[in-house]
């Protein structure tokens, strides 16, 4: 017919007559109408040796890893092994299966009311509600910071008074210093007119006197609030000069703990003395000490941003050895929907069945245009992906699937409600993002948003101001996890990047991190790692399909900890006894 525009040819042909050998390369994940017209742009040379199975990171006891043939019996010169033994005999595999006592089942628990679910409404909060919520977070986190700060002041003060009891001169100097550092009870009852007038410009947090951020004072005072960056400031990149970074840092301000009054003041961080190496990020609640002569620029001398942490509980109820495999999206290449790396991971789990398999989304990334050509509904396609996974995994493996806001079948909001499918699998558990769940008493925290990378990219440190060199042993990964723990939130950064659909109300209700879990899983585009931070094993398993780089997954062994009850009672840090490295081992393996 003349005059009609020629219909463009789709990259994905809908042809039900495509042979099985050609259709999707035989991948069980692809739709029946999917036929790629060209090979992936990232196909490796078939003659090149495969990197699959190479170990890129190892944590924990080698003795524990050898129990499951994850390490050879001998190593050369003590070097870390780079290969694993996936080809085991059926007899050894049966021994491994029975060693976990799978017949008893795995105890799993999660507080459903503590995390987001389908009944939650989102994007209903007004700007006023957000301000109220952020103000409440300042009060809550500020009280915890002031409580720890008050305890730190009381302890050295008692020793100082004992040492100087016979020295009148030293006692006088100590009294002058205590004018600022003493911890008092909040005034009650009748007060003088001077005290009442002063209370207008200050408040009490756990016995620590805190002034409003714009209170003019040439004497040292303390202020409490939330770190913000002025709107004119732009994010720095790797090519930004040190002078540009210093300009950005100079635009840091602090919003007062009473956000109803819209009080804020700019910060001068060039004279910070304690700590020598500091780090601040937008949205962080901090207690600052310094002077503010004109009420417009607060010169910071000391930064307090840490609370007394609730350390992980030792999983004393764990009575059998657990094996865990962790895989994080993306699961397929950008150029196809074959899910080759996910298929390889499932083959490994079929040959080496773990007790627990944790998979984090998105399974069908909404940013990938290939899914728009699939001749199935998104729900049907996702159902097929899940059914393929469950049919590949034995019934003895408990599968935990964590949601992601970029998935085609999920709500575009963070925190994200769990997925749902029509079929029922007794060993399948859908979890929200973020969440903390317990397996046999072992607490595991998970979030699929790359919060660690976001914090590292957004933070301002002492190096940006005065060019100081980080102290020996300084670790940006450890520092970022410390922000999560001390701010007691899965996502303390505010405002977030544009691609994170953060709902402040839901995060305040469902994104709290009230205590440190035993294991923290934070998939990230950063280099893969396993770190022990405040008694928590923090894992970045990498991505199953690394696209431009090698893919990877993580596997863990958790054995029942050997707890001496008498020694645990006598230990002041009972939560850290025994050390996690004594009963948890982890490896990151290339796919």
């Amino acid at each position: 017919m003349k005059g009609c525009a020629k219909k463009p040819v789709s990259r994905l042909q809908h042809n039900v007559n495509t042979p099985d050998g050609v259709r999707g390369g035989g991948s069980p994940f692809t739709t029946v109408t999917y036929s790629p017209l060209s090979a992936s742009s990232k196909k490796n040379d078939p003659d090149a040796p495969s990197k699959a199975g190479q170990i890129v990171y190892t944590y924990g006891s080698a003795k524990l890893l050898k129990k499951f043939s994850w390490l050879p019996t001998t190593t050369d010169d003590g070097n870390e092994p780079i290969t694993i033994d996936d080809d085991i005999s059926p007899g050894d595999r049966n021994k491994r299966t029975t060693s976990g006592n799978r017949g008893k089942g795995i105890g799993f628990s999660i507080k459903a009311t503590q995390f987001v679910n389908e009944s939650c409404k989102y994007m209903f909060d007004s700007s006023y509600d957000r301000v109220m919520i952020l103000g409440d977070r300042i009060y809550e986190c500020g009280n915890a910071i002031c409580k720890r700060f008050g305890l730190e002041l009381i302890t050295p003060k008692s020793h100082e008074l004992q040492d100087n009891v016979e020295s009148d001169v030293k006692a006088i100097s100590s009294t002058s210093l205590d004018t600022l550092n003493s911890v008092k009870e909040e005034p009650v009852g009748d007060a003088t007119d001077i005290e009442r007038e002063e209370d207008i410009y200050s408040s009490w947090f756990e016995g620590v006197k805190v002034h409003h951020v714009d209170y003019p004072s040439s004497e040292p005072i303390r202020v409490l609030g939330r770190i913000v960056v002025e709107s004119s400031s732009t994010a720095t990149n790797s090519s930004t000069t040190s002078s540009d970074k210093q300009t950005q840092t100079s635009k840091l301000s602090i919003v007062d703990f009473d956000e109803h009054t819209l009080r804020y003041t700019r910060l001068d961080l060039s004279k910070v003395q304690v700590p020598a190496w500091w780090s601040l990020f937008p949205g962080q609640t901090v207690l600052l000490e310094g002077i503010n002569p004109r009420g417009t620029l607060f010169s910071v001398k000391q930064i307090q941003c840490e609370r007394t942490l609730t350390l992980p509980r030792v999983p004393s109820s764990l009575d059998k050895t657990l094996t865990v495999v962790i895989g994080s999206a993306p699961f397929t290449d950008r150029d196809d929907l074959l899910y080759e790396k996910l298929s390889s991971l499932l083959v490994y789990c079929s040959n080496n069945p773990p007790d627990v398999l944790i998979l984090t989304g998105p399974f069908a990334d909404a940013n990938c245009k290939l899914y728009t050509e699939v001749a199935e509904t998104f729900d049907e396609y996702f159902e097929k992906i899940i059914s393929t996974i469950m049919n590949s995994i034995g019934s003895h493996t408990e599968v935990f699937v964590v949601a992601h806001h970029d998935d085609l079948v999920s709500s575009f909001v963070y925190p994200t409600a769990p997925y749902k499918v029509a079929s029922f699998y007794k060993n399948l558990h859908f979890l929200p993002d973020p969440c903390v769940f317990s397996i046999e008493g072992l607490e595991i925290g998970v979030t699929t948003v790359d919060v660690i990378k976001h914090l590292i990219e957004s933070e301002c440190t002492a190096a940006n101001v005065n060019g100081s060199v980080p102290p020996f042993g300084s670790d940006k990964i450890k520092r970022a996890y410390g922000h999560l723990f001390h701010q007691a939130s899965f996502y303390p950064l505010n405002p977030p990047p544009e691609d994170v659909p953060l709902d402040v109300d839901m995060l305040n209700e469902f994104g709290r991190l009230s205590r440190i879990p035993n294991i923290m899983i934070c998939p990230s585009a950063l280099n893969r790692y396993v770190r022990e931070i405040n008694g928590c094993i923090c894992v970045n398993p990498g991505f199953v399909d690394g696209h431009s780089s090698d893919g990877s997954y993580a596997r863990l062994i958790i054995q029942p900890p050997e707890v001496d009850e008498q020694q645990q009672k006598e230990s002041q840090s009972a939560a850290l006894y025994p050390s996690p490295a004594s009963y948890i081992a982890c490896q990151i393996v290339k796919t």
Side-chain angles (χ1 to χ4, degrees):
M1 182 176 179
K2 296 182 179 181
C4 293
K6 185 178 179 180
K7 185 177 181 181
V9 178
S10 171
R11 177 176 172 79
L12 303 180
Q13 290 186 345
H14 298 170
N15 184 3
V16 295
N17 296 320
T18 304
D20 292 339
V22 177
R23 183 184 303 131
S27 173
F29 288 95
T30 55
T31 176
V32 294
T33 60
Y34 174 72
S35 178
L37 296 181
S38 62
S40 172
S41 60
K42 194 206 69 173
K43 295 301 180 183
N44 296 325
D45 183 0
D47 297 331
S50 174
K51 296 182 179 180
Q54 290 186 357
I55 299 174
V56 296
Y57 212 106
T58 298
Y59 166 86
S61 170
K63 181 179 180 181
L64 182 58
L65 294 173
K66 289 179 182 178
K67 291 183 179 179
F68 282 74
S69 301
W70 285 6
L71 284 182
T73 54
T74 59
T75 57
D76 296 335
D77 301 329
N79 293 330
E80 184 179 78
I82 60 173
T83 58
I84 57 176
D85 183 14
D86 286 339
D87 298 328
I88 59 176
S89 64
D92 292 338
R93 187 177 299 121
N94 292 335
K95 291 179 181 179
R96 179 180 303 182
T97 302
T98 56
S99 64
N101 295 328
R102 298 176 185 270
K104 296 182 180 180
I106 296 176
F108 161 71
S109 65
I110 182 173
K111 294 182 179 179
T113 57
Q114 187 177 351
F115 300 102
V116 65
N117 51 67
E118 296 179 4
S119 61
C120 297
K121 295 181 179 181
Y122 59 93
M123 302 303 176
F124 277 84
D125 55 335
S126 63
S127 298
Y128 177 78
D129 293 334
R130 297 176 187 177
V131 171
M132 294 291 292
I133 293 171
L134 292 175
D136 291 342
R137 291 292 293 167
I138 294 177
Y139 270 93
E140 180 181 337
C141 193
N143 275 316
I145 294 174
C146 290
K147 184 176 182 179
R148 169 172 174 162
F149 180 63
L151 293 175
E152 290 179 350
L153 292 179
I154 292 175
T155 303
K157 177 186 174 183
S158 60
H159 294 291
E160 182 180 358
L161 292 178
Q162 291 178 1
D163 296 338
N164 300 334
V165 66
E166 297 180 356
S167 177
D168 294 336
V169 178
K170 291 183 179 180
I172 294 175
S173 61
S174 176
T175 304
S176 62
L177 290 175
D178 290 341
T179 302
L180 175 64
N181 292 334
S182 60
V183 179
K184 306 176 182 179
E185 296 182 357
E186 299 183 23
V188 294
D190 296 335
T192 63
D193 294 338
I194 298 178
E195 290 176 339
R196 290 177 180 176
E197 182 178 357
E198 187 178 3
D199 288 341
I200 298 176
Y201 304 102
S202 63
S203 295
W204 293 83
F205 289 81
E206 295 293 334
V208 177
K209 191 173 186 178
V210 176
H211 288 80
H212 291 295
V213 296
D214 58 350
Y215 180 75
S217 175
S218 298
E219 298 295 329
I221 60 173
R222 298 190 185 97
V223 297
L224 177 68
R226 177 169 56 90
I227 298 296
V228 296
V229 180
E230 294 185 13
S231 59
S232 59
S233 176
T234 56
T236 60
N237 51 40
S238 57
S239 62
T240 305
T241 62
S242 59
S243 60
D244 293 334
K245 290 184 178 181
Q246 183 173 355
T247 301
Q248 181 194 5
T249 307
S250 66
K251 294 183 179 180
L252 286 181
S253 302
I254 184 171
V255 175
D256 194 67
F257 59 87
D258 186 4
E259 294 201 357
H260 300 84
T261 59
L262 300 179
R263 301 172 186 260
Y264 85 100
T265 187
R266 294 183 296 114
L267 297 177
D268 176 13
L269 299 167
S270 62
K271 301 178 181 178
V272 177
Q273 299 174 355
V274 179
W277 178 259
W278 50 266
S279 169
L280 299 175
F281 65 90
Q284 183 180 18
T285 300
V286 293
L287 176 68
L288 305 179
E289 181 179 310
I291 59 175
N292 191 2
R294 298 186 179 182
T296 58
L297 182 63
F298 191 90
S299 181
V300 182
K301 303 293 185 182
Q302 186 172 351
I303 300 175
Q304 298 290 338
C305 59
E306 296 184 353
R307 66 169 68 201
T308 302
L309 297 175
T310 305
L311 299 178
R313 300 187 186 96
V314 176
S316 55
S317 59
L318 182 64
D319 59 355
K320 58 186 176 182
T321 300
L322 291 178
T323 56
V324 181
V325 171
I326 305 170
S328 178
F331 296 111
T332 187
D333 197 8
R334 296 188 184 97
D335 300 330
D336 60 52
L337 304 181
L338 303 181
Y339 290 85
E340 294 175 336
K341 293 298 182 69
L342 178 57
S343 299
S344 300
L345 177 61
L346 295 177
V347 170
Y348 167 79
C349 293
S350 178
N351 296 333
N352 306 268
D355 294 293
V356 176
L357 172 62
I358 301 175
L359 299 176
T360 66
F363 291 83
D365 195 339
N367 298 316
C368 180
K369 297 180 180 180
L370 297 183
Y371 293 104
T372 61
E373 300 293 340
V374 173
E376 293 174 300
T377 65
F378 295 148
D379 290 334
E380 291 173 346
Y381 191 74
F382 181 73
E383 184 100 19
K384 180 176 182 178
I385 293 176
I386 296 300
S387 64
T388 303
I389 293 174
M390 298 310 298
N391 291 334
S392 304
I393 299 298
S395 59
H396 294 301
T397 298
E398 299 293 326
V399 181
F400 297 86
V401 177
V402 186
H404 191 283
H405 62 269
D406 272 338
D407 223 312
L408 290 171
V409 295
S410 65
S411 301
F412 188 64
V413 63
Y414 180 81
T416 310
Y419 302 126
K420 59 179 179 179
V421 294
S423 303
F424 172 75
Y425 304 92
K426 64 178 182 179
N427 59 327
L428 174 62
H429 313 275
F430 288 120
L431 301 177
D433 176 33
C435 67
V436 176
F437 60 99
S438 175
I439 300 177
E440 297 289 345
L442 185 79
E443 293 184 341
I444 302 177
V446 187
T447 181
T448 59
V449 173
D450 199 346
V451 59
I452 302 301
K453 180 182 178 182
H454 295 168
L455 284 172
I456 292 175
E457 291 178 346
S458 301
E459 71 175 352
C460 295
T461 65
N464 304 137
V465 177
N466 49 31
S468 61
V469 179
F472 178 77
S474 176
D475 187 344
K476 61 183 179 180
I477 301 295
K478 181 177 181 180
R479 191 166 62 241
Y481 277 97
H483 291 323
L484 297 185
F485 297 151
H486 287 288
Q487 297 292 309
S489 173
F490 273 100
Y491 201 91
L493 182 64
N494 190 292
E498 294 182 356
D499 59 344
V500 178
L502 179 66
D503 187 290
V504 176
D505 188 11
M506 291 179 63
L507 180 68
N508 182 56
E509 186 173 358
F510 304 116
R512 294 175 179 268
L513 196 59
S514 57
R515 65 176 299 113
I516 302 177
N518 298 101
I519 299 174
M520 189 77 168
I521 303 172
C522 294
S524 174
L526 301 174
N527 291 335
R528 296 157 289 208
Y529 57 79
V530 183
R531 297 278 202 283
E532 181 183 339
I533 304 172
N534 295 117
C536 175
I537 306 302
C538 303
V539 182
N540 171 23
F543 303 137
V544 172
D545 194 311
H547 290 172
S548 59
S549 59
D550 295 324
S552 61
Y553 65 92
R555 56 186 185 184
L556 297 89
I557 300 176
I558 304 99
Q559 69 176 4
E562 299 178 359
V563 180
D564 187 341
E565 296 182 359
Q566 183 64 26
Q567 187 172 356
Q568 187 174 11
K569 291 179 180 179
E570 296 176 356
S571 175
Q572 296 180 354
S573 58
L576 289 178
Y577 176 82
S579 170
S582 65
Y583 63 91
I584 299 178
C586 178
Q587 287 182 337
I588 297 180
V589 187
K590 289 185 179 180
T591 55

